Amino acid sequence: MYNLQRFILKHHFVILFILLEVISILLLARSQNFHRNSLVNTSNVVVGKIYEWSSDVGNYFRLNTANEQLAEENAMLRQQLSIVYDTASCVYDVNEGDTLYEYIPAKVVNNSTNQANNYIIINKGARDGIERDMSVISTDGIVGVVTDVSRHYASIMSLLHSKSVVGVRFKNNQEIASVKWQTNNYRYGIVEDIPTHIVLQQGDTILTSSHSKIFPEDLMVGTVEEFYPTAVDALNKAKIRYATDFSTLRHVYVIKDLHKAETDSLKAKFQ
Amino acid sequence: MNKTVLQIIRFVVLVLFQVLVINHIRLGGYVHPYIYMLFIMLLPFNTPKWQLLVLGFALGLTVDLFTGTPGLHAGATTLMAFCRPSIIQLISGNQKFENIPEPNLGQLDGMWFFRYVLCLVFVHHFALFFLESFSFRLIGQVLLRILLSVPVSVFLIMMILYIFKRERKRE
């Protein structure tokens, strides 16, 4: 016993070092899961508040651009609404209240683009009806998936995450594929599973597919920036430019699928 | 001013400066400077070794809470704190710091300080970027990140030290 005591006293520096490193690595290993642990969640209130103060200061200087963006979006929505009323008013009753999705507007309080795994924190949480696995979009395109919710805040796994995979389809030919992120540039993603008979042009539009478990169908993902045909592999690759500019992200919408429980229970029957 | 109060203020200011300002600076995909470790570098020479480790861990974990990466900065900063005593011994040789309470630019020459900062920043970034990738798969990319980020971090830290140099002499 005395020897053990002496050993610990003599090597306390190294022992403490190993202990702290093991704790760090365990924490890190746990956080590699898609759903993160509650340690971050509990601190979200303090951290979220500090980020919110900081972004409030920054937002004050960007009010002009934010207003312009919202006005533009408003105009676009009005235009779409008029088309719907024109073509569908005789067939569907638009006022039935049978909407598929509810859009919850939220403000970005913190966002990073330069890590290997980027997360976004927004100022809406469980209190506002936000739940895990909801999809998040901006005015321009898709943004990410809600991974953690506290009472007032939620964190979103951004598309700029090494584990992010989005099921997409090409607008021109309905072919489906998946978009991943290459951890070095926040503007570009990559599609690695394009069948050989498909040839893409620069600027081709990429939308979310109906096979995506998270995103509703037909949301804007991005456009093709460069197409890489391969002779050896069975699959072509393409570099894509995200429609969302993650560096200037301020306002986002969280999409609540109102029929989720219904579709989930149907899917469960097949599995 | 009381030394402990000064340390606490330094801790808070460096963490906030890191997460609210530095983390939002984009210098291409590979350059990610970090300056918050300056807190550990400026601790007094006679700080007990176990305190270095605990403070390093606490500092890293605080940054982790902001970046949403539990364990990442904590691990890297703990390693850096662990290496601090050996690095001080390595770069100063027979030099003794009996009448210098803590590392500061006023009493130690710039070259000593530059080597001190460079070694510690390198240890920190090396651990950080490898832990971040959590594998040796992307080794080329990780090494590039380290090589490009270390000079920027060292430059920023030296700049902060020179800006606050005069103030510390007055105390």
Side-chain angles (χ1 to χ4, degrees):
Chain A
M1 198 59 211
Y2 172 73
N3 276 340
L4 182 71
Q5 222 171 15
R6 216 178 50 174
F7 177 82
I8 290 175
L9 276 178
K10 195 178 163 198
H11 297 284
H12 72 280
F13 185 49
V14 178
I15 292 170
L16 186 65
F17 168 68
I18 293 169
L19 185 77
L20 290 176
E21 284 296 338
V22 168
I23 294 174
S24 302
I25 288 170
L26 283 181
L27 283 175
L28 193 59
R30 262 178 72 187
S31 73
Q32 297 287 310
N33 296 331
F34 181 74
H35 286 136
R36 294 184 298 151
N37 55 28
S38 53
L39 183 94
V40 183
N41 213 344
T42 49
S43 65
N44 251 354
V45 182
V46 181
V47 171
K49 207 77 216 162
I50 292 175
Y51 274 139
E52 201 170 5
W53 288 331
S54 152
S55 86
D56 277 351
V57 176
N59 279 344
Y60 189 76
F61 296 99
R62 297 187 204 95
L63 278 178
N64 256 334
T65 11
N67 274 343
E68 270 166 36
Q69 262 176 5
L70 291 176
E72 256 170 48
E73 193 188 3
N74 230 340
M76 195 191 71
L77 290 175
R78 271 174 193 278
Q79 201 184 348
Q80 281 180 355
L81 199 64
S82 69
I83 296 168
V84 170
Y85 270 120
D86 262 7
T87 56
S89 54
C90 48
V91 189
Y92 306 109
D93 186 358
V94 185
N95 299 322
E96 207 181 316
D98 201 19
T99 44
L100 275 174
Y101 302 107
E102 186 187 326
Y103 292 78
I104 307 166
K107 226 167 65 182
V108 173
V109 296
N110 185 54
N111 179 19
S112 69
T113 54
N114 54 12
Q115 310 289 314
N117 298 313
N118 293 292
Y119 289 92
I120 299 166
I121 300 177
I122 57 169
N123 69 344
K124 293 278 169 80
R127 201 184 50 166
D128 312 282
I130 310 258
E131 288 162 25
R132 273 182 177 180
D133 294 337
M134 284 184 176
S135 51
V136 182
I137 61 166
S138 73
T139 325
D140 303 313
I142 62 170
V143 170
V145 188
V146 176
T147 50
D148 244 331
V149 184
S150 67
R151 203 168 140 66
H152 303 277
Y153 299 95
S155 58
I156 297 160
M157 180 175 114
S158 130
L159 290 186
L160 313 180
H161 191 288
S162 60
K163 294 224 167 62
S164 132
V165 181
V166 184
V168 297
R169 73 181 174 84
F170 304 111
K171 200 183 178 187
N172 300 343
N173 48 37
Q174 308 297 320
E175 201 67 45
I176 58 165
S178 51
V179 170
K180 290 175 186 166
W181 186 53
Q182 286 185 312
T183 57
N184 49 22
N185 195 325
Y186 68 94
R187 286 185 198 281
Y188 303 106
I190 191 155
V191 190
E192 290 180 318
D193 50 357
I194 309 167
T196 25
H197 63 278
I198 303 291
V199 175
L200 297 171
Q201 304 296 323
Q202 190 187 353
D204 280 0
T205 308
I206 296 173
L207 304 170
T208 51
S209 78
S210 55
H211 298 261
S212 167
K213 284 181 196 130
I214 291 152
F215 291 100
E217 206 180 343
D218 285 344
L219 293 174
M220 184 69 178
V221 179
T223 50
V224 174
E225 182 77 11
E226 243 180 304
F227 180 64
Y228 311 108
T230 42
V232 198
D233 277 355
L235 298 167
N236 289 334
K237 291 180 185 179
K239 184 176 174 185
I240 71 143
R241 189 189 181 90
Y242 291 126
T244 305
D245 182 354
F246 286 91
S247 66
T248 57
L249 203 59
R250 295 292 149 202
H251 297 271
V252 294
Y253 300 98
V254 181
I255 304 179
K256 184 173 192 169
D257 185 349
L258 297 172
H259 291 180
K260 192 174 192 302
E262 230 175 297
T263 46
D264 279 356
S265 68
L266 274 178
K267 276 181 197 161
K269 279 182 191 167
F270 295 123
Q271 280 157 6
Chain B
M1 205 191 320
N2 190 331
K3 283 273 184 244
T4 323
V5 178
L6 182 77
Q7 302 284 9
I8 293 169
I9 292 173
R10 204 182 268 160
F11 187 102
V12 174
V13 169
L14 279 172
V15 169
L16 289 183
F17 189 59
Q18 177 69 50
V19 297
L20 299 182
V21 182
I22 304 271
N23 278 1
H24 293 272
I25 299 174
R26 271 180 293 273
L27 299 159
Y30 290 106
V31 186
H32 306 171
Y34 293 96
I35 51 100
Y36 67 93
M37 319 78 79
L38 186 58
F39 172 77
I40 299 296
M41 298 177 190
L42 293 180
L43 286 173
F45 282 117
N46 61 2
T47 311
K49 285 172 159 190
W50 64 271
Q51 252 181 43
L52 281 179
L53 290 179
V54 173
L55 286 172
F57 185 76
L59 176 69
L61 206 60
T62 314
V63 174
D64 279 332
L65 290 179
F66 280 92
T67 55
T69 51
L72 177 66
H73 291 278
T77 317
T78 309
L79 178 72
M80 195 194 92
F82 178 75
C83 294
R84 195 188 104 139
S86 345
I87 284 175
I88 289 178
Q89 212 166 36
L90 190 78
I91 57 177
S92 35
N94 298 327
Q95 212 177 331
K96 287 276 174 282
F97 307 110
E98 270 151 11
N99 37 18
I100 305 172
E102 56 179 41
N104 69 69
L105 259 181
Q107 287 164 290
L108 291 156
D109 68 303
M111 200 54 212
W112 183 92
F113 228 95
F114 176 73
R115 288 201 324 229
Y116 175 63
V117 171
L118 182 70
C119 290
L120 287 180
V121 167
F122 184 77
V123 169
H124 175 268
H125 282 28
F126 191 83
L128 184 76
F129 290 126
F130 267 105
L131 282 176
E132 188 184 46
S133 78
F134 216 68
S135 69
F136 289 88
R137 205 158 40 94
L138 301 164
I139 192 157
Q141 222 184 68
V142 172
L143 288 178
L144 196 61
R145 274 179 192 221
I146 296 169
L147 282 181
L148 293 176
S149 302
V150 168
V152 182
S153 298
V154 172
F155 174 74
L156 286 174
I157 288 176
M158 293 306 284
M159 225 166 67
I160 294 169
L161 285 171
Y162 273 104
I163 289 169
F164 289 98
K165 184 180 166 187
R166 204 187 299 153
E167 198 185 326
R168 212 166 292 131
K169 257 186 183 169
R170 220 187 291 141
E171 274 170 29

